[in-house]
Amino acid sequence: MSGRKFCVGGNWKLNGDQKSITEICKTLSGASLDPNTEVVIGCPAIYLMFARNLLPCSIGVAGQNAYKVAKGAFTGEISPAMLKDIGAEWVILGHSERRAIFKESDELIAEKAEHALAEGLKVIACIGETLEEREAGKTNEVVARQMCAYAKKVRDWTNVVVAYEPVWAIGTGKTATPDQAQEVHAYLRQWLTENVSKEVAASLRIQYGGSVTAANAKELAKKPDIDGFLVGGASLKPEFIEIINARQ
Ligand code: PGA
């Protein structure tokens, strides 16, 4: 085995209210979860404290975004310092929805990652190609470009988990096959060996994301370079427990 601790993130996106979050947290609290899997819940910012208070300490909570400075005149933003202050240890950055809908650039995302790490948060750094890019044979080129932007700003990768999420698989029900995912994960390790270091390539955890369900998680989890998942839709359902336990 790789020695990398399996890590499963739930990304609730813009979903949930006090009632449904209470239910999900109750289900997670009562479930028997693989102690060898690290679990992180990406909760809407406004409910982070609420979820933090309902979840066991063994489950981390994450913001789904955070700005690149601690405070100031940035109406509508939240900062890593604020996330830490309310008990969140993680932040998800560079999700494809932030890139596509909110026009976040590779550079801005990398600056956010740099600042979040400096403030002591752990970062789930997302990358992934669109369908058009994949069909044009540009998958490796795109993920390398996105990794390169992070690598310009990240000095210490200890608190980083990369989430490889092909955009065409997100919310579409079209999961990458285990072989397709493994191929990109292996390429990312090769890229890290060549551009960062052998040590980081061996130790950095790389999650797969995109239509992960209880039905496909076990097969994906068998691949040597897949170290966990970032789960959207299925993280709102009881099947999330089975995904957390995919390695059991
Ligand atoms: P999905 O979303 O599991 O609903 O495809 C994954 C993600 O966006 O992180």
Side-chain angles (χ1 to χ4, degrees):
M1 288 313 282
S2 68
R4 297 182 294 266
K5 187 167 189 173
F6 206 67
C7 180
V8 175
N11 177 11
W12 290 352
K13 310 191 182 188
L14 185 55
N15 293 295
D17 52 25
Q18 293 192 57
K19 189 164 176 276
S20 62
I21 289 173
T22 303
E23 277 309 306
I24 299 174
C25 292
K26 213 188 272 174
T27 307
L28 282 168
S29 304
S32 149
L33 305 179
D34 185 342
N36 297 315
T37 297
E38 187 168 6
V39 182
V40 184
I41 299 292
C43 176
I46 199 164
Y47 295 121
L48 269 169
M49 230 169 139
F50 182 71
R52 176 64 288 163
N53 289 334
L54 292 172
L55 288 167
C57 326
S58 55
I59 297 183
V61 295
Q64 298 175 6
N65 185 26
Y67 198 49
K68 62 177 178 177
V69 297
K71 60 179 181 174
F74 303 99
T75 303
E77 293 296 308
I78 62 165
S79 72
M82 291 170 177
L83 288 173
K84 280 202 79 180
D85 188 43
I86 57 100
E89 307 95 333
W90 289 83
V91 64
I92 300 169
L93 293 172
H95 190 278
S96 73
E97 287 146 21
R98 302 273 351 145
R99 293 175 186 268
I101 304 168
F102 301 100
K103 307 287 177 245
E104 292 193 11
S105 65
D106 291 344
E107 288 68 32
L108 173 63
I109 293 160
E111 285 170 1
K112 288 180 172 191
E114 179 183 32
H115 176 64
L117 291 167
E119 292 281 318
L121 280 184
K122 294 182 251 190
V123 171
I124 297 180
C126 304
I127 58 169
E129 83 288 359
T130 62
L131 183 60
E132 200 183 7
E133 290 162 341
R134 173 161 284 256
E135 285 175 345
K138 290 189 174 159
T139 299
N140 289 358
E141 185 188 316
V142 170
V143 296
R145 189 200 75 222
Q146 293 167 332
M147 286 302 294
C148 197
Y150 285 123
K152 279 191 188 146
K153 299 288 180 190
V154 173
R155 289 286 152 264
D156 181 351
W157 292 79
T158 316
N159 286 335
V160 180
V161 170
V162 167
Y164 167 61
E165 301 198 291
V167 180
W168 48 272
I170 295 178
T172 57
K174 265 196 228 161
T175 324
T177 64
D179 286 340
Q180 276 175 324
Q182 168 59 27
E183 193 183 351
V184 180
H185 285 229
Y187 170 72
L188 289 167
R189 283 199 207 284
Q190 183 199 322
W191 186 91
L192 286 161
T193 304
E194 289 164 5
N195 296 278
V196 180
S197 72
K198 246 170 130 168
E199 291 69 30
V200 171
S203 61
L204 181 68
R205 292 177 293 176
I206 308 178
Q207 296 172 324
Y208 166 78
S211 298
V212 175
T213 62
N216 57 37
K218 272 198 183 300
E219 286 307 308
L220 285 159
K222 282 183 191 154
K223 291 295 179 185
D225 290 302
I226 297 181
D227 308 313
F229 303 116
L230 187 57
V231 185
S235 71
L236 296 159
K237 304 179 193 161
E239 74 178 281
F240 187 52
I241 312 288
E242 286 172 71
I243 299 173
I244 292 169
N245 294 336
R247 276 265 172 99
Q248 273 184 337

